[in-house]
Amino acid sequence: MKATIKDVAREAKVSTATVSFVVNGIDKVKKNTKERVLLAIQKLNYVPDQAARTMIKKKTRTVGLIVPLLTNEYWAELAEQIQEELILRGYTLMICTAGMKSAELTINSLLERNVDGVILGGRIVSDPDDHYIQMFMDRRIPLVSIAPIHKDVTSVWGDNLNSSREVVEHLIQQGHTKIAYIGSMSTGIGRELGYRNALAIAEIPVDEALVRNGKSEEVHNFSQYGYQTMKQLVANKCEFTALFGANDLIAIGAIKALQESGLRVPHDVAVAGFDDIAMAALYSPAITTVKQPIGEMAGSVVAALIEQIEQPDGLSITRKITFPMTVVVRESSISPKGG
């Protein structure tokens, strides 16, 4: 026979209200009492009736997450961290990817499922997203974005501009003055601006022939994009001795193209990426990159969204939360001694 909330309350020797607080993640229960309730839930294999809770509270306790793609390990890891944070608070995550062709269908799918809130993983498409954001705002659905995309949406993001400047400054300190940049609209303007700022500070002119920025809808596979773009730079006989790839997958693809062209990394061309995905440390050569505080960012995103969901009067208050990042120096950018 299925256990009820009364059974859990009886087993834990507490009220049904206390069990409800624990189940719903409401921080009103003492630690030892909470532990007793959780043990009772586990012992009785109690599963809350989500359908009934939805009907009573008009809440689905479901959050939508829209990301550009999941083939990039960064988004996959961030989604996993966000899901863990939400589960601890009694919410379920619905993950969607959205490009130019599927953006409206994705948003309508979330609206039809009456999600309590939405996390936007950066821009949904290359063009301004005001139309898509307005679809949620018209329904007064709480929104938080990972990257600043709209003045009326709370955003949490890493300091892309300054961390990009720092990693390019590292390349300059290694003696490089001809530094290429490969990015895309979906990696954000901050990383390109950081690249340009580093060159400006060092009084190095920007060679626009070395700057490549693909549109989001044109970049379906970052490593392939990095590979093909680097092939073009080499074929065009562009002169450069270093590359800053706007994410690690771009850098990995570029290194493959350089190696196929007979160029050694870092002997002939130094390379740096961004995000510090697991593959960056395992690749040969190990890739210099920028480490994002994914766990802290995920926690901040979820906290900001839950605050809006549970305190709807605060929907009009927006915040911009920025996290510092760390440059991780590895083999791909260090000038080897002895050539």
Side-chain angles (χ1 to χ4, degrees):
M1 186 174 179
K2 183 179 177 181
T4 67
I5 192 170
K6 291 182 179 179
D7 295 328
V8 175
R10 192 179 303 112
E11 177 69 26
K13 295 181 173 56
V14 297
S15 67
T16 55
T18 298
V19 177
S20 179
F21 287 151
V22 174
V23 169
N24 289 296
I26 299 172
D27 192 19
K28 290 186 177 181
V29 183
K30 292 181 180 179
K31 184 179 179 182
N32 59 342
T33 304
K34 182 179 179 180
E35 289 174 352
R36 204 162 70 244
V37 171
L38 291 173
L39 285 172
I41 288 172
Q42 184 177 17
K43 179 180 178 180
L44 299 176
N45 197 26
Y46 171 65
V47 179
D49 189 335
Q50 185 61 48
R53 291 162 69 189
T54 297
M55 290 177 65
I56 295 169
K57 297 186 176 183
K58 307 298 183 185
K59 296 287 186 182
T60 62
R61 297 195 74 80
T62 301
V63 167
L65 169 63
I66 305 177
V67 297
L69 71 175
L70 287 170
T71 51
N72 185 344
E73 185 184 315
Y74 165 75
W75 289 113
E77 183 179 348
L78 186 60
E80 185 176 331
Q81 294 278 357
I82 287 172
Q83 178 173 263
E84 289 181 5
E85 292 286 340
L86 285 168
I87 286 173
L88 291 174
R89 291 166 170 80
Y91 284 80
T92 299
L93 181 65
M94 181 178 175
I95 305 173
C96 306
T97 58
M100 183 73 77
K101 295 179 181 179
S102 61
E104 195 140 350
L105 290 174
T106 297
I107 292 169
N108 282 330
S109 177
L110 293 175
L111 293 175
E112 288 168 3
R113 285 162 176 76
N114 295 316
V115 293
D116 295 334
V118 172
I119 298 168
L120 299 173
R123 288 206 171 277
I124 300 171
V125 295
S126 295
D127 296 327
D129 293 335
D130 291 7
H131 165 66
Y132 300 105
I133 291 170
Q134 197 62 47
M135 292 174 70
F136 292 117
M137 288 183 168
D138 288 345
R139 303 281 192 95
R140 290 189 59 76
I141 294 176
L143 289 174
V144 175
S145 70
I146 303 165
I149 61 173
H150 193 284
K151 64 181 178 65
D152 294 326
V153 177
T154 289
S155 57
V156 176
W157 77 99
D159 189 350
N160 288 279
L161 192 150
N162 284 314
S163 54
S164 295
R165 174 183 52 77
E166 289 171 4
V167 77
V168 175
E169 285 176 343
H170 159 71
L171 294 174
I172 293 170
Q173 289 164 4
Q174 293 295 304
H176 300 285
T177 58
K178 296 182 181 297
I179 304 171
Y181 171 82
I182 301 177
S184 80
M185 296 300 292
S186 59
T187 57
I189 189 63
R191 298 179 192 183
E192 181 184 343
L193 288 177
Y195 159 82
R196 291 179 179 274
N197 285 355
L199 294 180
I201 291 169
E203 298 183 345
I204 299 172
V206 176
D207 182 351
E208 296 298 340
L210 299 180
V211 179
R212 303 299 169 93
N213 224 330
K215 293 182 179 179
S216 298
E217 57 272 18
E218 296 172 350
V219 184
H220 304 292
N221 182 308
F222 278 119
S223 54
Q224 187 65 27
Y225 168 65
Y227 175 85
Q228 294 293 350
T229 305
M230 179 53 69
K231 281 285 190 181
Q232 292 170 7
L233 287 171
V234 173
N236 292 343
K237 300 188 185 304
C238 295
E239 294 185 11
F240 60 94
T241 62
L243 165 72
F244 172 41
N247 67 33
D248 291 334
L249 291 177
I250 290 174
I252 286 171
I255 290 173
K256 176 70 172 174
L258 287 166
Q259 291 171 338
E260 287 184 1
S261 301
L263 296 168
R264 300 171 299 168
V265 177
H267 300 70
D268 302 313
V269 179
V271 175
F274 202 104
D275 290 335
D276 195 26
I277 63 175
M279 183 60 69
L282 300 174
Y283 200 75
S284 183
I287 299 170
T288 290
T289 186
V290 175
K291 184 177 184 61
Q292 299 215 48
I294 292 178
E296 292 90 336
M297 288 168 63
S300 183
V301 165
V302 170
L305 186 67
I306 299 302
E307 182 181 1
Q308 289 185 37
I309 292 172
E310 298 181 354
Q311 299 177 24
D313 291 341
L315 272 175
S316 60
I317 301 173
T318 60
R319 289 178 289 160
K320 309 299 178 186
I321 305 165
T322 309
F323 283 87
M325 304 196 209
T326 307
V327 175
V328 181
V329 177
R330 298 193 179 107
E331 301 166 3
S332 69
S333 67
I334 298 296
S335 298
K337 295 179 181 179

